[in-house]
Amino acid sequence: MTALVASRDGYGEGLMQLADDERVVVLEADLGKSTKSCRFREMYPERTFSLGISEQNMMLVAAGLASSGYKPFASTFAIFTERGFEQVRNGIARPNHAVHLCGSHGGLHTGTDGSSAQSIEDLAIYRTLPNMTVMHPCDDISTERLTVLLSALSGPSYMRTARNKRPRIHDDESVAALRIGKGHVLREGIDVALLACGVLVGEAMTAAEELSRDGIEVTVVDMHTIKPLDSALVQRLAADCGALVTAEDHSIIGGLGGAVAELLAANCPVPLERVGVNDTFGESGDGDELLEKYGLNSDYIIAAARRAIARKA
Amino acid sequence: MSMDAGGTEGQPQVAELESVALACRRAIVSMVHKAGAGHPGGSLSAIDMLVALYCTRLRVRSEEPDWPDRDRFIMSKGHASPGMYSILSHSGFFEAEELDSFRKLGSICQGHVDSGWTPGVDFSAGSLGMGLSFGIGCAFAARLDASKRTVFVMLGDGELQEGQVWEAAMSAAHHELNNLKVFVDRNRIQNDDFVDKQMRMFDVPAKWAAFGWAVREIDGHDMTEVLEAIQWMDGVDTGPAVVIAHTVKGKGVSFMEDNPSFHGAAPSDEQLEQAMEELQ
């Protein structure tokens, strides 16, 4: 039985793994219990700065710490990081301060809190900022590993995590192979490539198994890094498979699908189908119900894969 | 010039500081004229405080601008860049000729202060309301480092309309940051008009006090009062301290004084000539 895990727990564990580095500091805006930075806070209160419900303030406090040689890891809900977007733009990305921002509870899958809490645009907006690395890992242990790797980054980053538990994708061996900026191939097939991030990596794996039963062999990639996009891998898969599908719990505008579309259009046009939120806001509901209603689960990925294959010249 | 000794030993006399401030005022008006754009008003209102800080108090090293244990000065009202460049140049961070390139392509003197371009600039500003939060981060870092370095921040009074300033004010007091010192340049004018026409400020000192800060009011153009205010801030050890400095926008140039038109406008050739005559 595959373990059910939430990627936000990996962030909390990643911070614990980093704690021996005394330059690592943690910032919170009243949601540490939810983003899981609370674990670090309990063990290292002197290196944790709780700033109350003030996201804009938190962004610049983090920048000030980074400018003084510290490695700030700041978290809140994905949607509330957006309240400080201009602060991230002007106060963090522009001066290239290595502040690591984690937005938890991203996407429709966040569920019953409803549309005000379901960021479906975070990956898109942070991707537009120069200097920013943008990531969205798919499970707890990959999030933990990538959080640890972030501490060596010399520029700022945004990482989205998810609230709810899903089957774990990675194992110790695959996690050890993860690199920021490199997609991780989970299975290989020649007919079409599925590029997914976050909770939709699991949906893509389910889709791949079902397609295989019909004789369609697909590649599945955990595209945990949206920026810098692993353009070499995407172009190789475009050449090898001749058709691509992106899948993300995010708007089809500007996120993983947008990034891949830009790359393909400029370099190697092949059929691309984007599975994502179709330019609409969500609503309250169970996470899986929302994936079904808004066209994001494995059934929709299967249909998209068949469309992409049919469009091959 | 190296000022890492700090303290008051060898402190220049008030008359000398006033002389430096006058030279900076000339540089401010001149560089804005040359650029054909910029913000003279808020630079002229702030310059006496900048001169007092850089010439008597800040532990900074012009030959090593990134010295990790330097005091920090955060110009949050980043449009007062001509004021910053004039005092940084005077303090030896770069040559005075650089001022001539203010706002020009490739210049180290960017339109708004930017740490990535200018030696001695600690904070990239330009969007109001962010500097105090950045200062809190620097103050936390100093505390973690067990360093006695001090963080000074300058805010504009129009800038106090930004909500983030009050998020920051609340958290600085909550965390009892006694290494954080703030000047508010209370020149009563913002971009479009007088501050109290745009958004009435009511009792500014009472607001800061209510947020848990030690507060003092001074005449921001009286060098003796400015020096005393710095000493007073240094003596506040229970939490953050703020000095509300009552100033005159455009101070020193008659047609700029108290004139909202010179928040962000360059003087004409004739106006430059008149300003230079007045700034003797």
Side-chain angles (χ1 to χ4, degrees):
Chain A
M1 180 70 185
T2 310
L4 291 175
V5 297
S7 58
R8 59 179 168 140
D9 287 315
Y11 177 69
E13 181 58 31
L15 295 180
M16 297 304 286
Q17 300 290 326
L18 286 168
D20 283 347
D21 180 351
E22 292 189 348
R23 310 307 286 179
V24 168
V25 293
V26 164
L27 294 91
E28 306 178 328
D30 198 38
L31 286 170
K33 280 194 290 188
S34 302
T35 68
K36 298 303 175 187
S37 62
C38 58
R39 294 186 54 199
F40 187 97
R41 184 206 321 140
E42 284 154 15
M43 291 293 289
Y44 307 97
E46 74 288 354
R47 279 193 278 147
T48 304
F49 301 102
S50 296
L51 296 162
I53 308 167
S54 69
E55 297 79 12
Q56 301 173 33
N57 185 41
M58 179 173 73
M59 301 303 180
L60 269 293
V61 173
L65 280 157
S67 81
S68 303
Y70 284 90
K71 297 179 179 177
F73 284 75
S75 66
T76 180
F77 284 1
I79 190 70
F80 302 141
T81 69
E82 295 174 32
R83 189 189 196 92
F85 176 73
E86 198 245 351
Q87 281 75 8
V88 176
R89 191 268 188 198
N90 268 327
I92 293 175
R94 189 171 61 105
N96 202 22
H97 290 309
V99 170
H100 304 298
L101 193 56
C102 175
S104 74
H105 294 55
L108 295 187
H109 201 256
T110 294
T112 58
D113 276 343
S115 61
S116 70
Q118 297 162 346
S119 172
I120 50 168
E121 61 285 324
D122 52 340
L123 304 177
I125 63 175
Y126 291 115
R127 194 169 72 81
T128 62
L129 296 180
N131 298 329
M132 287 291 281
T133 294
V134 179
M135 304 203 302
H136 184 22
C138 65
D139 67 7
D140 60 339
I141 56 177
S142 61
T143 302
E144 175 188 334
R145 179 63 187 156
L146 290 165
T147 300
V148 170
L149 292 177
L150 279 175
S151 74
L153 219 58
S154 59
S157 69
Y158 172 78
M159 181 170 71
R160 183 213 269 193
T161 60
R163 174 183 187 275
N164 293 322
K165 292 184 176 179
R166 304 288 285 166
R168 182 180 285 153
I169 303 295
H170 285 276
D171 56 28
D172 290 347
E173 191 181 342
S174 68
V175 157
L178 292 176
R179 297 289 179 272
I180 294 169
K182 297 292 175 195
H184 184 86
V185 177
L186 291 165
R187 63 181 283 163
E188 297 198 66
I190 200 69
D191 294 318
V192 64
L194 311 181
L195 312 175
C197 58
V199 297
L200 290 207
V201 174
E203 296 296 319
M205 289 296 281
T206 302
E209 285 157 21
E210 294 193 23
L211 286 164
S212 180
R213 284 196 277 276
D214 287 347
I216 298 171
E217 296 305 329
V218 309
T219 291
V220 178
V221 182
D222 173 10
M223 291 295 282
H224 50 75
T225 306
I226 318 299
K227 184 186 179 183
L229 189 68
D230 188 351
S231 56
L233 175 62
V234 174
Q235 292 184 78
R236 177 173 75 74
L237 293 173
D240 290 352
C241 302
L244 302 180
V245 174
T246 56
E248 61 199 309
D249 185 0
H250 182 276
S251 173
I252 57 168
I253 299 170
L256 175 61
V260 170
E262 290 165 14
L263 180 75
L264 293 182
N267 295 283
C268 48
V270 298
L272 169 69
E273 294 287 332
R274 292 169 299 153
V275 173
V277 183
N278 193 11
D279 199 20
T280 185
F281 290 109
E283 61 185 290
S284 288
D286 171 76
D288 288 344
E289 290 175 335
L290 289 163
L291 293 192
E292 165 68 29
K293 178 166 181 176
Y294 289 85
L296 306 179
N297 66 16
S298 60
D299 291 341
Y300 291 89
I301 296 173
I302 290 167
R306 291 186 190 281
R307 288 197 304 275
I309 291 167
R311 287 171 56 200
K312 282 202 238 181
Chain B
M1 139 168 87
S2 181
M3 292 174 283
D4 51 284
T8 55
E9 194 181 342
Q11 180 167 299
Q13 297 300 305
V14 165
E16 289 175 54
L17 295 174
E18 289 171 343
S19 168
V20 172
L22 185 66
C24 287
R25 284 193 158 88
R26 294 172 63 85
I28 289 165
V29 175
S30 175
M31 83 179 86
V32 173
H33 171 263
K34 193 151 203 156
H39 297 82
S43 294
L44 293 168
S45 63
I47 193 63
D48 296 307
M49 291 173 271
L50 297 182
V51 167
L53 279 170
Y54 275 88
C55 295
T56 73
R57 173 60 179 84
L58 291 179
R59 295 164 58 255
V60 292
R61 295 172 176 169
S62 61
E63 72 283 6
E64 189 188 359
D66 296 331
W67 174 39
D69 207 32
R70 70 191 183 279
D71 289 332
R72 301 299 196 273
F73 179 74
I74 293 153
M75 176 57 90
S76 189
K77 40 173 272 183
H79 53 280
S81 50
M84 278 296 287
Y85 301 145
S86 68
I87 190 61
L88 288 175
S89 169
H90 172 82
S91 303
F93 284 89
F94 49 83
E95 298 297 320
E97 299 90 78
E98 300 284 354
L99 302 178
D100 293 338
S101 69
F102 173 52
R103 286 182 171 254
K104 301 248 178 0
L105 186 67
S107 172
I108 69 164
C109 296
Q110 294 285 297
H112 291 76
V113 291
D114 192 316
S115 59
W117 288 82
T118 316
V121 169
D122 288 325
F123 173 62
S124 294
S127 179
L128 293 172
M130 299 191 195
L132 184 54
S133 302
F134 186 86
I136 290 169
C138 295
F140 280 148
R143 182 184 276 183
L144 286 172
D145 291 344
S147 165
K148 288 184 175 168
R149 64 179 182 261
T150 307
V151 181
F152 289 89
V153 179
M154 179 169 283
L155 304 173
D157 56 352
E159 182 176 17
L160 302 183
Q161 293 159 7
E162 290 281 10
Q164 185 182 348
V165 171
W166 301 102
E167 292 184 358
M170 208 182 306
S171 55
H174 174 77
H175 290 281
E176 298 173 347
L177 290 173
N178 59 6
N179 54 356
L180 182 66
K181 320 288 179 188
V182 171
F183 275 105
V184 173
D185 180 8
R186 184 82 166 102
N187 61 32
R188 301 183 304 111
I189 290 174
Q190 57 191 99
N191 185 70
D192 274 6
D193 209 331
F194 288 93
V195 168
D196 279 347
K197 285 189 182 172
Q198 292 299 106
M199 184 59 66
R200 281 182 297 159
M201 303 300 294
F202 297 97
D203 191 336
V204 172
K207 281 185 162 68
W208 286 93
F211 275 74
W213 288 59
V215 187
R216 185 167 181 170
E217 290 181 84
I218 63 164
D219 175 347
H221 299 306
D222 183 318
M223 194 58 79
T224 303
E225 285 195 29
V226 174
L227 294 173
E228 286 172 0
I230 292 171
Q231 284 192 350
W232 170 78
M233 284 197 281
D234 278 331
V236 175
D237 60 5
T238 51
V242 59
V243 167
I244 314 295
H246 295 280
T247 59
V248 175
K249 195 122 174 179
K251 176 70 174 180
V253 180
S254 59
F255 57 89
M256 291 186 179
E257 286 191 0
D258 229 17
N259 180 358
S261 301
F262 279 99
H263 166 84
S268 67
D269 293 348
E270 295 73 28
Q271 286 172 326
L272 174 72
E273 200 174 325
Q274 184 187 338
M276 289 304 164
E277 281 173 18
E278 293 180 13
L279 293 171
Q280 295 291 337

